[in-house]
Amino acid sequence: MPVQLGFSVPPEESTNTPLGHQSPQWSNWDGGKIGGRPSWLNPRDLPQEVLTCRGPCAEDGEKKDTPLCFITQLYCPADDVREEAFHRSLYVFACPKCCSGSSALMQSVKNASNNDNNSAINQFSGCIQVLRCQLPKDNEFYPSKGDLDEEWDKHKSQYWAKHEHDDKLNLCAVCGQRSKGKCPKQNKWFCCPDHQKEHLRAAKKLQDETTSPIPLQYLSSICYESELVVEEEPQPTENGTEKDVKQTTNKSLFESGEITDADSNLEQSDLNEMTLKSAATGVTDSTTLTFYARMAIGGEENDVRDQCLRYCRWPESKNESSDVHQDDDIEDTKQPLWLTSNNQPPKEFPPPCQYCGAPRLFEFQILPQMLHYLLRDSNAQNETRDNSKVLTETERAILLEASSKIESGADLPPGFREQHEQAVAKARDALLGVGIHGNKDSLEWGTIAIYTCTASCGDGDVVSPGEMKNVSVTEKDRMRSLGAYREEMAWLQSSLD
């Protein structure tokens, strides 16, 4: 299975195209959505409580019950594995405090090296929550025909609020989760007092308390919304040649006039080590170099540097061969593309599914580029792309050559300093080429890898106590409170400094 790339596309206001599962015409579902409010696949059996952080801020008496921020959802059927997964969606939420650049946890992980701070890293498991929901083709919420062109409202929570006589199924006007009550002043439903106050402030700022819904840019706890579209990762470009790389790397590292008497007593390996420390703007991590090179795989002709998500479900084995890409930087197309060699999960991660005991494997990852769209207005995404920042195949080959040599422990060849430094600087700048419109307290990550149950267990109903394996009574109660949504695992790798 080739890697699928996810890209952010601004919502088309003129066509008013519904995102996620807002339309019952499931034949048109594809990709997913980024930011905004979740679009629930099962609109009736929702999580009973607002999703909150279970990380470090949950242990801080002044910051209890921090609501999680909705990041993205992805429609990814698995009916080839289980017919009850004919419809299947994954949802990702993150704590805006623990996952911010200024949080103590994030700083602790950034300061760790070579995975020597797993205790801090593991706490991210409570800061990121991944939910999976699935339904068979014949279900209570959607028509059996995906192109049904008649009135249908069973896919809406409001329908089930009336049908089940459960007012709390009227979704929160801010976050889109199950509500706790209705505000008589605003005549809207909210999940908590904080969101009730946030909506009122936004309405006053908008100078219109009757507008429905409030535009997202006025709601500080909600990320900007865009559509997530997917396409297959392109083949590596072939503009560059092996000869180009050899000519680049065979140049002398120093001109003769640059060598001093002190330098003459140093071995070539010492010189390489010294220059490498100052070269490449500090990047000597082979994993990082490979990441940069992979972002430039399409070249200028098929520019994919603004990809937000990478999807490739459940490898059969870590070393499984693939005939899709046979490039030097693609050792394993079905594992996360890590940003750095630090802060990677231990061998025992992820744990097996707590519902059925089946192993979990990697399914998709969220890239740092997604932050660019979450933290800025999607309507402002019309900046002209600067194709001069796209890596050439030769520059990409330089990164791969450096990655290979660093990983093997070999010295970098003479003549590599300037080319390596320029290629890395350009690669960094090429990732969107513009800064994130946020601040030090904004969401931040390097990448988030999502691991899911390979049995895709569940039939779409509320979880029963007998389905949960080796969990405490308290955990069983919490998991049952998630309704028809089952919890999966995530690993957050911090961003580069």
Side-chain angles (χ1 to χ4, degrees):
M1 178 181 179
V3 175
Q4 301 290 320
L5 305 181
F7 298 89
S8 171
V9 175
E12 297 288 345
E13 292 186 355
S14 58
T15 59
N16 197 28
T17 303
L19 301 181
H21 309 304
Q22 296 175 20
S23 167
Q25 296 181 335
W26 50 264
S27 61
N28 294 327
W29 296 350
D30 191 23
K33 68 192 296 285
I34 297 171
R37 305 175 181 90
S39 176
W40 302 107
L41 178 62
N42 182 328
R44 182 189 63 198
D45 303 313
L46 302 176
Q48 298 291 316
E49 303 291 336
V50 176
L51 302 176
T52 58
C53 181
R54 293 180 289 115
C57 75
E59 302 170 2
D60 188 335
E62 297 181 0
K63 298 181 180 179
K64 279 190 176 181
D65 300 328
T66 303
L68 297 180
C69 179
F70 173 67
I71 302 301
T72 189
Q73 71 181 70
L74 187 64
Y75 180 62
C76 40
D79 51 320
D80 57 325
V81 177
R82 188 183 184 93
E83 62 180 13
E84 290 87 353
F86 183 86
H87 297 302
R88 178 174 175 271
S89 285
L90 294 167
Y91 301 77
V92 183
F93 299 80
C95 176
K97 292 179 179 174
C98 292
C99 298
S100 72
S102 62
S103 75
L105 177 59
M106 186 69 74
Q107 293 303 316
S108 175
V109 172
K110 280 186 176 183
N111 293 333
S113 61
N114 299 321
N115 298 324
D116 62 359
N117 198 4
N118 278 325
S119 61
I121 296 169
N122 288 338
Q123 292 185 65
F124 272 126
S125 63
C127 307
I128 303 290
Q129 189 162 21
V130 182
L131 299 180
R132 169 173 57 86
C133 185
Q134 59 194 40
L135 296 169
K137 183 176 181 180
D138 294 324
N139 59 79
E140 301 177 78
F141 313 113
Y142 302 96
S144 57
K145 294 184 178 180
D147 57 353
L148 184 68
D149 191 22
E150 61 184 58
E151 189 173 343
W152 183 280
D153 57 2
K154 292 183 180 180
H155 66 297
K156 299 178 181 179
S157 292
Q158 293 91 327
Y159 169 87
W160 294 101
K162 296 177 181 178
H163 187 271
E164 301 288 320
H165 304 290
D166 184 356
D167 287 340
K168 293 183 179 180
L169 284 175
N170 291 291
L171 303 181
C172 175
V174 173
C175 68
Q177 297 188 50
R178 180 189 286 267
S179 65
K180 288 290 184 67
K182 189 175 185 179
C183 172
K185 181 178 181 180
Q186 302 184 73
N187 195 32
K188 296 186 184 300
W189 297 87
F190 297 100
C191 66
C192 62
D194 286 344
H195 284 178
Q196 180 183 10
K197 294 174 184 176
E198 179 181 346
H199 192 275
L200 183 59
R201 289 194 300 268
K204 290 181 177 179
K205 186 175 182 180
L206 192 60
Q207 296 182 338
D208 183 0
E209 296 186 17
T210 63
T211 297
S212 181
I214 293 287
L216 293 179
Q217 60 264 36
Y218 293 92
L219 299 172
S220 60
S221 67
I222 306 301
C223 293
Y224 289 110
E225 183 179 61
S226 59
E227 183 179 4
L228 181 68
V229 298
V230 295
E231 63 181 52
E232 187 174 321
E233 185 177 42
Q235 294 277 357
T237 58
E238 299 179 355
N239 294 330
T241 65
E242 185 177 356
K243 180 180 178 181
D244 293 333
V245 180
K246 288 182 177 179
Q247 288 177 345
T248 301
T249 57
N250 284 338
K251 293 180 181 179
S252 174
L253 184 62
F254 296 109
E255 298 296 333
S256 58
E258 295 177 336
I259 301 178
T260 64
D261 292 339
D263 293 329
S264 63
N265 295 323
L266 297 175
E267 298 292 337
Q268 181 62 48
S269 60
D270 296 325
L271 293 174
N272 286 344
E273 181 180 359
M274 290 171 60
T275 56
L276 185 57
K277 288 180 180 179
S278 61
T281 58
V283 177
T284 59
D285 188 333
S286 62
T287 303
T288 304
L289 295 174
T290 300
F291 180 90
Y292 286 155
R294 190 65 175 269
M295 292 297 102
I297 196 171
E300 183 175 341
E301 183 177 347
N302 198 354
D303 186 4
V304 295
R305 57 187 156 142
D306 52 353
Q307 59 187 274
C308 299
L309 182 144
R310 300 176 62 82
Y311 183 91
C312 195
R313 189 180 72 196
W314 307 338
E316 294 182 4
S317 68
K318 187 172 183 179
N319 297 317
E320 183 183 31
S321 62
S322 171
D323 58 359
V324 177
H325 294 304
Q326 296 296 332
D327 198 27
D328 291 340
D329 63 327
I330 307 180
E331 297 178 359
D332 184 4
T333 61
K334 296 185 179 182
Q335 292 296 318
L337 181 65
W338 297 113
L339 181 60
T340 170
S341 58
N342 293 334
N343 309 143
Q344 293 188 18
K347 293 181 179 179
E348 60 270 20
F349 188 90
C353 176
Q354 65 268 42
Y355 302 93
C356 71
R360 281 190 173 99
L361 289 176
F362 169 71
E363 182 158 356
F364 72 95
Q365 72 184 102
I366 296 171
L367 298 176
Q369 291 95 307
M370 187 176 287
L371 292 164
H372 176 81
Y373 300 103
L374 288 167
L375 302 178
R376 60 170 303 193
D377 189 344
S378 60
N379 293 323
Q381 296 179 29
N382 56 0
E383 297 178 359
T384 303
R385 293 162 67 96
D386 186 355
N387 288 331
S388 67
K389 294 178 180 178
V390 179
L391 293 184
T392 66
E393 185 62 17
T394 299
E395 291 168 329
R396 184 169 169 271
I398 290 171
L399 295 180
L400 296 176
E401 177 77 8
S403 173
S404 176
K405 290 186 177 297
I406 292 171
E407 188 170 5
S408 66
D411 294 334
L412 293 180
F416 212 70
R417 178 183 179 183
E418 289 183 2
Q419 290 77 19
H420 183 209
E421 182 175 356
Q422 291 170 3
V424 171
K426 187 174 180 180
R428 280 180 162 176
D429 199 30
L431 295 184
L432 293 176
V434 291
I436 295 172
H437 290 218
N439 53 55
K440 66 178 181 179
D441 294 323
S442 296
L443 287 166
E444 180 180 312
W445 58 70
T447 188
I448 303 174
I450 309 299
Y451 301 80
T452 57
C453 171
T454 52
S456 197
C457 62
D459 56 9
D461 291 335
V462 175
V463 179
S464 65
E467 292 182 89
M468 292 174 265
K469 308 293 183 182
N470 301 319
V471 295
S472 66
V473 174
T474 302
E475 263 304 271
K476 283 187 178 182
D477 291 341
R478 187 187 67 81
M479 290 161 63
R480 287 201 69 193
S481 73
L482 295 175
Y485 291 77
R486 299 187 174 220
E487 205 165 35
E488 297 290 6
M489 297 298 297
W491 185 274
L492 187 149
Q493 189 178 62
S494 62
S495 63
L496 299 174
D497 290 332

